[in-house]
Amino acid sequence: MSYRRSRARREFERQIQQTRSEIADLHRRAVRAGASASRLLGAYYVFAFAQLEVYVRTLVEDSIQALYATAPKPSRLPDLMLGYLLHKGGELGAEYRKFSTSEDEGALLGRIASSVRTTAAWEAGGPAIKLDAAAFLDKKKYPSPKNMPQLFRRLGIRQFWAVVSAAGRFNAELTLRSLNDLRTAVAHDGEVPPGFGLCDFRERISSMADFVAAVDRSVATYFCSGAMTRVAWNRSVT
């Protein structure tokens, strides 16, 4: 079975198409009235970037839900995802931080042992270690060039930029950096930079859509290459 667009991608594209239609009409009216369209373009660009954030959050939520729906054993989970489950669900990070200041091994060793036993029981058919999507998204849900590889590493994708760049056949990191830099500038100044017109807006929106398409295909391919079947993925995510 071939790749299908996720629900998250389809909703993103619906919102972006609506944005394109609205901005064309409003921009034309602004030009006819002799008014500056700079703030109009800025407001719509910030809105479009917000849809990118919604897309990322929804894709992560749906991916985790799809994975748990398959009732996976620990041995089927991506290594880094299992590591994050143990780190976050087993509260190992908190114990390591305590150990770094107190150098008391007792609590840390006890927590490690508990995580190991829980994982062994899970592999044998016991209850799974579960985390909701909010734990994976914690402090990483904004789609910045720094957050994106860290967020998807938690799901097991080690080389996020390389994978997405290959899927899209463009430099994904530079693309997102450019999109994010413009969003930051608009949010700071309230309008697009001087000389930025409707054609520039359309080009940036198209780049954003291309980035989403590459991420969507990459994540689907990744999960369907081992963690679950394409049928299970399409049933839950598309």
Side-chain angles (χ1 to χ4, degrees):
M1 186 176 290
S2 60
Y3 161 77
R4 293 184 195 167
R5 292 178 301 159
S6 68
R7 282 192 297 269
R9 177 183 172 184
R10 285 188 280 112
E11 177 58 19
F12 170 84
E13 292 175 343
R14 188 185 72 80
Q15 293 288 345
I16 292 302
Q17 182 56 44
Q18 183 176 333
T19 296
R20 287 188 174 116
S21 299
E22 290 180 4
I23 196 68
D25 182 54
L26 293 173
H27 187 270
R28 184 165 51 249
R29 294 183 186 182
V31 171
R32 285 176 180 174
S36 172
S38 182
R39 291 190 180 277
L40 174 67
L41 292 172
Y44 268 84
Y45 185 80
V46 170
F47 171 80
F49 200 91
Q51 300 314 301
L52 174 59
E53 182 174 352
V54 171
Y55 163 77
V56 171
R57 184 181 71 244
T58 304
L59 180 65
V60 170
E61 291 171 345
D62 288 352
S63 298
I64 292 171
Q65 182 177 357
L67 185 61
Y68 275 125
T70 67
K73 300 291 187 184
S75 56
R76 292 293 304 277
L77 291 181
D79 289 346
L80 297 184
M81 188 175 190
L82 178 60
Y84 189 74
L85 281 169
L86 296 176
H87 172 78
K88 194 76 172 179
E91 299 182 354
L92 292 179
E95 293 299 338
Y96 274 109
R97 285 191 292 273
K98 291 178 184 177
F99 174 73
S100 68
T101 56
S102 68
E103 297 187 0
D104 181 1
E105 292 183 329
L108 174 60
L109 294 177
R111 184 69 69 178
I112 292 173
S114 176
S115 294
V116 171
R117 293 184 187 280
T118 300
T119 305
W122 177 10
E123 185 70 38
I129 300 173
K130 284 201 173 184
L131 285 179
D132 59 23
F136 284 89
L137 290 162
D138 185 37
K139 300 179 181 179
K140 303 299 176 187
K141 65 181 180 180
Y142 177 76
S144 70
K146 180 180 179 180
N147 285 346
M148 289 289 280
Q150 294 178 11
L151 170 60
F152 284 96
R153 194 176 298 125
R154 292 175 178 180
L155 300 182
I157 301 177
R158 295 177 183 271
Q159 302 295 331
F160 176 78
W161 293 127
V163 170
V164 177
S165 294
R169 298 183 179 180
F170 56 80
N171 189 313
E173 183 176 7
L174 289 182
T175 296
L176 182 59
R177 189 172 302 281
S178 176
L179 295 170
N180 185 63
D181 286 349
L182 177 59
R183 186 266 177 200
T184 301
V186 171
H188 182 268
D189 298 330
E191 58 186 8
V192 293
F196 187 95
L198 182 59
C199 289
D200 301 294
F201 176 88
R202 287 170 172 163
E203 287 178 2
R204 293 303 182 98
I205 295 302
S206 292
S207 292
M208 198 180 296
D210 290 343
F211 180 78
V212 165
V215 171
D216 206 70
R217 183 177 292 276
S218 297
V219 173
T221 300
Y222 169 74
F223 276 104
C224 296
S225 65
M228 68 182 75
T229 65
R230 179 72 70 176
V231 172
W233 174 266
N234 287 343
R235 183 170 56 243
S236 297
V237 178
T238 67

